[in-house]
Amino acid sequence: MPVSEIKINLSALRHNMRVIRQHLPKEVNVLAVVKANAYGHGAVQALRIALEEGYCAAAVARVEEGQELREAGFTCPIYVLGLPLPEDMPVAVNENLVVPVDDTVDLDAYEAVAAAAGRVMDVWIAVDTGMNRIGVHPADVPAFWEKLESLPHLHIRGTFTHMATADHKEKDAALAQLDRFDEALSHMKITEDFVVSSANSAGIIDIPRSWHNLARPGIILYGPQPSDVMTHTLPLQYVMSLTSHVTHVQTLHKGEAIGYGGTFVADHDMKTATIPIGYADGYHRALSNKGEVLINGKRCPIVGRICMDQFMVAVDDEVRPGDEAVLIGKQGDEEITIDEVCAKAGTIPHEILCDLKRVPKVWVEE
Ligand SMILES: *Cc1c(COP(=O)(O)O)cnc(C)c1O
């Protein structure tokens, strides 16, 4: 048994997928954003359940991620969200991925790769409506569309844009982005099977106008709300929990410092326990002297700095080596949520969930 373990609750994942599916009208298709190994939850496991729950496709950040899903046997549409380099195109064509394009990519090179493979490659047009990351600007769509249409081995499957502030309380900027997206759409030939997509998790929950005909939930599949200032919330369940064990218990005497830099000094004799997880596992160093873990159902504060592979907590006299320590999740009547951990670490759930790469995972379905 590994000393530390991530448990992925596939029943909670399925529940979230159902809640999201039911929140949207039937006409709106839903894909599962499973980039970065499904935000650390296992892309293969997550996509299998998404397809069982009626999701139409997967989205990944990169061509390699799409290739891994094909190698795992998935035949559903796979949309790539980030612009690939021309070197990635042979794999993208071969694996039948839907690749994003804008007016900065070498479309003639893409056309040549597809022609050489004797295939028609699906592309979707990335539109920049204000995120300023990738995409063609709405005013440049007419010329871009004409160019794309002139290339017989590229098929325009649809278009998407991405909102920068859909998770803010104030929605004006997100709605202004959707206005610009409408302008871009007015320059495209929208047939019945043409894919139009702008909703991330926050758009799905708060901005019906962003639903179009394909929604792209990421973080809400895995339990966290997109932010704590959303107008609405969905009844989601946390999917990931993180557990370790106490490997060492000792007395820290009054006046003694603990850990690198001696940043915590005991003001009385106290017990400390050592937990064998650190920032190399993705347990952020920013939690030094801030985070808490659960042992025997009680909250135990982190004392001193998080090391690369271990950290220490203040404990009571009952704690023994071998006791379970819950870093994220429930123990007894207490719970430490990923949201609590992120608030203390000064980051968002996406980052910590994706970072916990070294800890072995188990998938359970109840
Ligand atoms: C990551 C990503 C998403 C999913 O975002 P969430 O906020 O996690 O729902 C959707 N669309 C694009 C383009 C993305 O990069």
Side-chain angles (χ1 to χ4, degrees):
M1 188 187 75
V3 67
S4 302
E5 196 168 77
I6 283 173
K7 193 165 95 180
I8 305 294
N9 180 345
L10 294 175
S11 309
L13 183 66
R14 189 185 293 282
H15 164 87
N16 295 341
M17 287 172 169
R18 266 183 209 171
V19 164
I20 296 161
R21 179 59 278 183
Q22 283 162 10
H23 173 71
L24 293 164
K26 267 203 287 307
E27 321 74 86
V28 177
N29 288 312
V30 190
L31 60 69
V33 178
V34 294
K35 62 188 179 187
N37 199 26
Y39 297 43
H41 294 70
V44 168
Q45 290 82 356
L47 181 55
R48 175 178 61 78
I49 294 186
L51 296 174
E52 286 170 11
E53 293 302 322
Y55 285 43
C56 68
V60 294
R62 304 194 178 137
V63 167
E64 309 90 89
E65 292 177 336
Q67 185 177 24
E68 281 168 25
L69 292 175
R70 287 286 181 248
E71 280 161 6
F74 291 104
T75 56
C76 64
I78 298 177
Y79 292 84
V80 179
L81 298 169
L83 291 179
L85 288 174
E87 298 90 285
D88 297 323
M89 293 322 289
V91 173
V93 173
N94 201 37
E95 304 294 359
N96 196 20
L97 308 180
V98 186
V99 172
V101 287
D102 70 14
D103 53 356
T104 64
V105 307
D106 186 348
L107 290 179
D108 293 310
Y110 285 19
E111 166 70 17
V113 169
R119 303 272 282 265
V120 172
M121 173 162 68
D122 272 354
V123 297
W124 64 334
I125 300 173
V127 178
D128 188 356
T129 54
M131 176 82 172
N132 286 305
R133 183 167 68 174
I134 62 168
V136 54
H137 291 120
D140 299 327
V141 167
F144 184 62
W145 184 276
E146 201 176 317
K147 170 73 185 171
L148 268 177
E149 275 201 323
S150 75
L151 301 172
H153 294 88
L154 302 188
H155 169 247
I156 315 172
R157 186 181 179 115
T159 184
F160 72 107
T161 193
H162 196 58
M163 293 177 286
T165 56
D167 61 343
H168 287 197
K169 195 178 184 66
E170 185 55 68
K171 305 293 184 197
D172 286 5
L175 294 173
Q177 281 197 257
L178 295 177
D179 289 341
R180 288 194 282 278
F181 195 39
D182 282 344
E183 185 198 335
L185 291 172
S186 74
H187 301 307
M188 299 184 195
K189 274 184 220 143
I190 313 281
T191 50
E192 215 187 312
D193 58 355
F194 190 77
V195 167
V196 180
S197 182
S198 70
N200 59 355
S201 291
I204 289 168
I205 295 184
D206 267 1
I207 313 177
R209 217 187 117 191
S210 71
W211 294 346
H212 307 289
N213 62 18
L214 179 65
R216 310 193 303 267
I219 192 67
I220 54 175
L221 299 173
Y222 311 109
Q225 304 291 332
S227 77
D228 55 10
V229 294
M230 301 294 292
T231 310
H232 303 96
T233 52
L234 291 178
L236 305 171
Q237 297 172 0
Y238 293 109
V239 176
M240 183 188 288
S241 52
L242 171 60
T243 308
S244 187
H245 289 86
V246 172
T247 53
H248 173 85
V249 176
Q250 65 166 46
T251 302
L252 187 69
H253 295 98
K254 183 176 176 183
E256 282 182 333
I258 190 166
Y260 286 120
T263 58
F264 178 92
V265 179
D267 61 4
H268 60 280
D269 286 0
M270 60 192 288
K271 284 263 160 59
T272 64
T274 301
I275 313 291
I277 288 196
Y279 60 78
D281 297 289
Y283 196 70
H284 285 207
R285 192 165 171 276
L287 294 164
S288 299
N289 289 308
K290 284 195 190 147
E292 291 182 334
V293 309
L294 303 176
I295 303 174
N296 298 332
K298 290 190 203 127
R299 286 178 172 263
C300 306
I302 293 174
V303 287
R305 289 199 183 134
I306 308 275
C307 313
M308 187 180 283
D309 320 290
Q310 306 178 66
F311 66 90
M312 287 70 84
V313 292
V315 294
D316 63 22
D317 290 332
E318 314 299 311
V319 170
R320 299 280 175 271
D323 285 354
E324 182 193 71
V326 171
L327 285 63
I328 301 171
K330 286 185 190 154
Q331 193 188 56
D333 299 331
E334 279 283 359
E335 179 172 17
I336 293 179
T337 66
I338 180 71
D339 294 306
E340 174 185 336
V341 172
C342 290
K344 288 186 172 148
T347 185
I348 54 172
H350 314 53
E351 187 177 21
I352 289 185
L353 294 173
C354 292
D355 274 352
L356 293 166
K357 292 192 188 85
R358 192 170 71 167
V359 183
K361 292 185 193 60
V362 289
W363 289 266
V364 293
E365 184 144 28
E366 278 138 26

